[in-house]
Amino acid sequence: MSRRVVLSVIAGGPVLGGAGAFTLVHAQNQPPALTHSTAHYIAPEGARSGSLTFTTDVTASSGLKSVKVLAWPANSTFAKKGLTAKDMAAVESAVCKPSGGDTEQCTYKVAVTGADDSPRGRWHVAVLVTAKNGDTTLNTKAADFTVA
């Protein structure tokens, strides 16, 4: 092996090692991520209540502190002014269970009664995720459903 190749390998080792450490630190500093978000709406009928079930997979390297969920009509004031993390502060939380690695599957389920009072049309599900390290992710349109 030539001396030049040996020096290149020796010099390249710390560079690659440094890049790997950067990648690891960068991955740990990622905000929480949502995937596979779905909403399933069942309208109430007669005396039977309906339901809204929202599920999502949340990945947070530092772990989850909270997952807040809010269903909102697409033609509401939130559509005009925008939904903020402050708007999400007092809403209900999803229940989360570990599903492997840094990921948890979170489910929010609520009974729906009085559908005549609910605005008809498209609705969005907003999600505010807070990780244990304080990082947050707000997705104002994580999933959609329709109230007919």
Side-chain angles (χ1 to χ4, degrees):
M1 188 180 292
S2 78
R3 189 167 188 239
R4 189 179 319 175
V5 173
V6 173
L7 289 175
S8 295
V9 171
I10 291 171
V15 172
L16 292 176
F22 172 77
T23 301
L24 181 60
V25 169
H26 181 67
Q28 290 176 345
N29 291 330
Q30 295 296 312
L34 299 166
T35 57
H36 307 107
S37 299
T38 61
H40 183 70
Y41 173 77
I42 299 174
E45 188 175 322
R48 179 185 58 83
S49 293
S51 65
L52 170 64
T53 303
F54 171 77
T55 59
T56 190
D57 291 333
V58 181
T59 302
S61 58
S62 69
L64 289 179
K65 181 177 179 183
S66 68
V67 177
K68 303 278 192 162
V69 179
L70 174 68
W72 58 281
N75 62 356
S76 71
T77 57
F78 290 136
K80 295 176 185 114
K81 71 173 189 146
L83 187 62
T84 67
K86 185 177 178 182
D87 296 322
M88 299 287 292
V91 303
E92 296 178 337
S93 296
V95 175
C96 300
K97 296 180 181 176
S99 61
D102 295 334
T103 303
E104 296 192 34
Q105 184 175 55
C106 300
T107 303
Y108 171 78
K109 187 169 183 171
V110 64
V112 177
T113 58
D116 293 335
D117 300 334
S118 298
R120 304 283 186 235
R122 186 171 206 76
W123 284 61
H124 304 295
V125 178
V127 182
L128 175 64
V129 178
T130 304
K132 287 183 179 177
N133 68 0
D135 287 346
T136 61
T137 296
L138 173 62
N139 185 334
T140 60
K141 296 177 183 176
D144 297 321
F145 63 96
T146 301
V147 174

